[in-house]
Amino acid sequence: MDEDLNEGHSTSSIPARTIGVVGAGQMGSGIAQVCAVAGFDVRLNDLTEERTSACLETIDSNLARQVSKGVISEEARQAALGRIVPAPSYDDLSMCDLVIEAATENEEVKRELLADLCPSLHPDAIIGTNTSSIPITRLAAATDRPERFIGIHFMNPVPAMQLVELIRGIATEDSTYEAAKAFVSTLGKIATVSEDSPAFIVDRILLSMINEAIYAVHERVGSVDAIDTAMRLGANHPMGPLQLADLIGLDTCLSIMQTLHEGFADTKYRPCPLLVKYVEAGWLGRKTRRGFYDYRGEKPVPSR
Ligand code: NAD
């Protein structure tokens, strides 16, 4: 992607551009969806065909919901779906101007993936990472293009949330930052800038609160329901911190807390042992249908 992207401010005037998305989980699917709706061609990669297919089904049903609510037309839905193409191998991303990495929040996984990905990409392609917490400079060092590497941190759920944090690594060039900023604005979202500091702005603050809420469960200060109700009605949050933790994914929450804890070497970020236990149990929240709530029935109920 290059400066021309600045030209595209409405769907109709966006020049043909191709975005690669690596990692087709909940964030990758949201990113692919908003890019396709904004008129970009999207190439979608994950470890298996099943995951890519599941992602396409999710996007299909999300767009159907948008049609039924009158947010987009049926034609726009069909057009957006037609723009998303599975990319089983990294070589299928060779025509991409921008590749957004949205794989599991694990530094080793991301570093290995980035190193493997680079040889398949066009030399001018920009890589954006959607990491919630891992230092951009460290991830950039795993690539062959630290100057064309940047943090483009979408919020969950991507189609509903306005903000995208942009985080420059030490080597990120101005042109990369400008292209990322223009891309975010083409999606109709608002960019804020954060320094390359563990968990950046939003998740440093948000995850500290979520971890504290889990400590409150752990120390039996209140039940899961009492804590979420308290924060919904007492702090006017749209959802309680434990509901939010389940939405984010408890493995992702733990990984962010570990990055904060290690990055600042400060015990105030110590992940709550109960969070560790849930992840060890494979109770990762909504994506595994069990976390602080049990989602297997008709209505979510606290799991303890
Ligand atoms: P997820 O578990 O839903 O999806 C991760 C996907 O990455 C899985 O489908 C997995 O198969 C895939 N993957 C793993 N290794 C891969 C590889 N080598 N190549 C291709 N695909 C690979 O996780 P998520 O919630 O979508 O999070 C993805 C990223 O987005 C993480 O970096 C996370 O920190 C960040 N993020 C998450 C949230 C959130 O609320 N969950 C919000 C903002 C940013």
Side-chain angles (χ1 to χ4, degrees), residues 48-90:
T48 63
E49 205 191 311
E50 289 74 43
R51 291 187 189 179
T52 317
S53 305
C55 173
L56 286 168
E57 277 169 32
T58 304
I59 295 173
D60 192 358
S61 69
N62 285 347
L63 290 176
R65 204 172 327 119
Q66 289 198 349
V67 172
S68 68
K69 286 184 181 166
V71 180
I72 59 168
S73 65
E74 178 56 28
E75 294 71 47
R77 167 175 170 256
Q78 293 295 345
L81 285 173
R83 287 187 200 108
I84 309 173
V85 177
S89 97
Y90 292 149

Side-chain angles (χ1 to χ4, degrees), residues 213 216-227 242:
V217 181
H218 189 52
E219 293 168 10
R220 301 189 189 281
V221 178
S223 66
V224 165
D225 187 41
I227 290 164
L242 303 164

Side-chain angles (χ1 to χ4, degrees), residues 22-28 45-48 51 90 101-106 109-110 113 129-134 153-156 203 247-249 251-252 256 287:
V22 178
Q26 59 174 333
M27 292 306 289
N45 172 272
D46 204 303
L47 293 172
T48 63
R51 291 187 189 179
Y90 292 149
E101 174 282 305
T104 311
E105 185 72 350
N106 175 307
V109 167
K110 289 189 190 284
L113 174 170
T129 173
N130 190 47
T131 181
S132 301
S133 62
I134 304 166
H153 181 215
F154 288 85
M155 307 292 132
N156 184 17
D203 282 342
L247 175 71
I248 293 171
D251 52 341
T252 302
I256 296 170
K287 63 184 163 188

Side-chain angles (χ1 to χ4, degrees), residues 100-134:
I100 300 176
E101 174 282 305
T104 311
E105 185 72 350
N106 175 307
E107 185 165 346
E108 225 171 287
V109 167
K110 289 189 190 284
R111 290 181 70 96
E112 203 176 306
L113 174 170
L114 290 166
D116 292 347
L117 169 70
C118 281
S120 298
L121 300 185
H122 188 280
D124 289 340
I126 290 177
I127 305 176
T129 173
N130 190 47
T131 181
S132 301
S133 62
I134 304 166

